[in-house]
Amino acid sequence: MPYNTTIANRVREAIAGAGDIEEKTMFRGMCFMVNGKMCICVNEDKIMCRIGPEEYETALEKPGTRPMVHNGKTMTGFVFVSADAIKAKKDFDYWVNASLAFNKDAKASKPKKKK
């Protein structure tokens, strides 16, 4: 699955030390799990940030963002952010910090039962 390795390396560096970090390929990119919970996913031209429902509306007002829609359902609390909108360090840091802040309160997904 193609993903932007430059952005993935920035995320990897930014979240180092934030807890138990695991990298998984999912959502057509590289997903960074923090303490067993999805935090940030990197795709070819965007990142997906799990920022929580309280920050969702505010986040969508920022440039380069759009809601995450999965199987026709809007996923409140998840936003896509374009690569252009995270070029500046302060903008990139905002999204990483928002994702890490919500990660502390986020619930981990239940493990899927094997068939």
Side-chain angles (χ1 to χ4, degrees):
M1 292 181 196
Y3 62 91
N4 187 312
T5 57
T6 301
I7 295 174
N9 288 335
R10 287 176 72 193
V11 171
R12 195 174 285 117
E13 183 178 311
I15 66 172
D20 180 28
I21 310 296
E22 182 181 358
E23 297 181 21
K24 288 187 174 184
T25 53
M26 55 195 302
F27 296 117
R28 294 183 215 144
M30 178 59 66
C31 189
F32 293 87
M33 311 286 285
V34 178
N35 298 323
K37 300 173 272 187
M38 185 181 351
C39 189
I40 300 172
C41 297
V42 179
N43 297 100
E44 188 174 346
D45 61 347
K46 63 189 167 294
I47 62 174
M48 188 276 299
C49 298
R50 185 178 185 193
I51 46 95
E54 291 80 23
E55 296 296 321
Y56 181 71
E57 293 298 326
T58 302
L60 287 176
E61 294 174 5
K62 298 203 173 284
T65 61
R66 67 178 174 84
M68 178 183 175
V69 178
H70 183 65
N71 292 333
K73 179 182 174 194
T74 300
M75 305 297 290
T76 304
F78 295 82
V79 294
F80 284 114
V81 183
S82 71
D84 288 340
I86 57 169
K87 284 183 180 177
K89 183 176 178 356
K90 70 177 180 105
D91 297 326
F92 176 80
D93 289 347
Y94 168 83
W95 291 108
V96 169
N97 291 332
S99 298
L100 288 173
F102 178 69
N103 186 267
K104 294 173 186 169
D105 298 325
K107 303 228 184 309
S109 295
K110 293 178 183 174
K112 294 188 180 195
K113 294 179 182 177
K114 294 183 179 180
K115 293 180 180 181

